[in-house]
Amino acid sequence: MPTTTTLQIPTADGRADAFAAFPDDARQHPGVLLYTDIFGLRPAIRDIACELAESGYYVLVPHLFYRHGPAPLIDLPDHISEEARPEIVARLMPLSTADATAERVRRDADAYLGFLTARPEVGPGPVAVIGYCLGAALAVRVAAAHLGPVAAVAGFHPAGLVTEASDSPHRVMPALTARVHLGLAENDLSPEAMGEVDDALRAAGVPYTCEVYAGSVHGFTMSDAAAFSPSARQHHWDRLLPLLGRALAHG
């Protein structure tokens, strides 16, 4: 089992509570910054961080909405059913609108990446940024804004990746220098949006894969969601771990 700890990360706007998991072997390991879905820090996310840590990574998971108080901000059911999901999302969406702006995401990422790379358990060299749902769009923004430190970016069942906004996450993709994997649920992106993502990643000139996981629905990695698919979650590991291994010279 990996070592786990809770942390406080100083930011420009306060202190963000966070969770970290890393191998219990007194060695340094590559760092991974993990952005959660809109439901935030909870056991299902901690399980993903621990599983990734078992593969040899230091995984830092910040609380996205720390400006509004420590996690959890609302009580979540043990199982997020399709019936319960809309009401929970409606309660959290104002926080996402306030805190997931391009400016705040970049500002927070400065603090998170600085904190991550300074940890004694994290070795020198590049890091990866990964995200789920909302966090996938944040991961793309961060990778495009922090070109030197970030060598890999991955997003799974992304939300808000392609929008009409002038600062839509897909519009920053041509600036990427990191390796990329996007794992999509069926119906996450329209064919037109998928084409825009492909065009943007080709313009970046980086190694990338953008794959629809057959038979999956949005949220397929989350064990506490009705959308959870064990096979799709395993497929996500089959794509993520080789990406990290190549980009971070690990494994």
Side-chain angles (χ1 to χ4, degrees), residues 1-187:
M1 291 294 294
T3 297
T4 62
T5 186
T6 55
L7 301 161
Q8 294 286 321
I9 304 175
T11 75
D13 297 329
R15 297 180 71 84
D17 47 312
F19 173 82
F22 50 94
D24 184 18
D25 60 8
R27 296 168 53 195
Q28 290 186 320
H29 295 275
V32 177
L33 176 60
L34 189 159
Y35 283 101
T36 72
D37 59 10
I38 197 171
F39 302 120
L41 269 171
R42 61 195 193 282
I45 289 287
R46 293 186 181 95
D47 287 347
I48 288 176
C50 287
E51 192 166 349
L52 183 52
E54 288 174 351
S55 293
Y57 297 94
Y58 183 105
V59 186
L60 180 66
V61 190
H63 170 40
L64 300 184
F65 307 135
Y66 69 88
R67 293 174 181 85
H68 306 277
L73 290 175
I74 66 172
D75 291 330
L76 290 173
D78 293 336
H79 178 74
I80 302 172
S81 67
E82 284 302 311
E83 293 75 21
R85 180 184 174 90
E87 189 272 335
I88 298 170
V89 170
R91 292 175 64 187
L92 293 170
M93 189 58 72
L95 309 184
S96 175
T97 300
D99 286 356
T101 64
E103 178 184 355
R104 284 190 168 182
V105 169
R106 285 194 295 267
R107 193 161 69 233
D108 285 345
D110 289 342
Y112 300 155
L113 290 171
F115 186 89
L116 174 63
T117 55
R119 297 300 299 171
E121 304 91 351
V122 175
V127 301
V129 184
I130 68 175
Y132 300 84
C133 186
L134 164 68
L138 305 190
V140 167
R141 286 198 189 282
V142 171
H146 297 80
L147 302 179
V150 180
V153 58
F156 300 94
H157 42 85
L161 194 63
V162 178
T163 73
E164 295 297 325
S166 60
D167 63 349
S168 172
H170 81 285
R171 300 190 196 282
V172 304
M173 286 181 178
L176 289 169
T177 58
R179 293 175 178 267
V180 180
H181 175 71
L182 297 175
L184 310 174
E186 293 185 351
N187 302 321

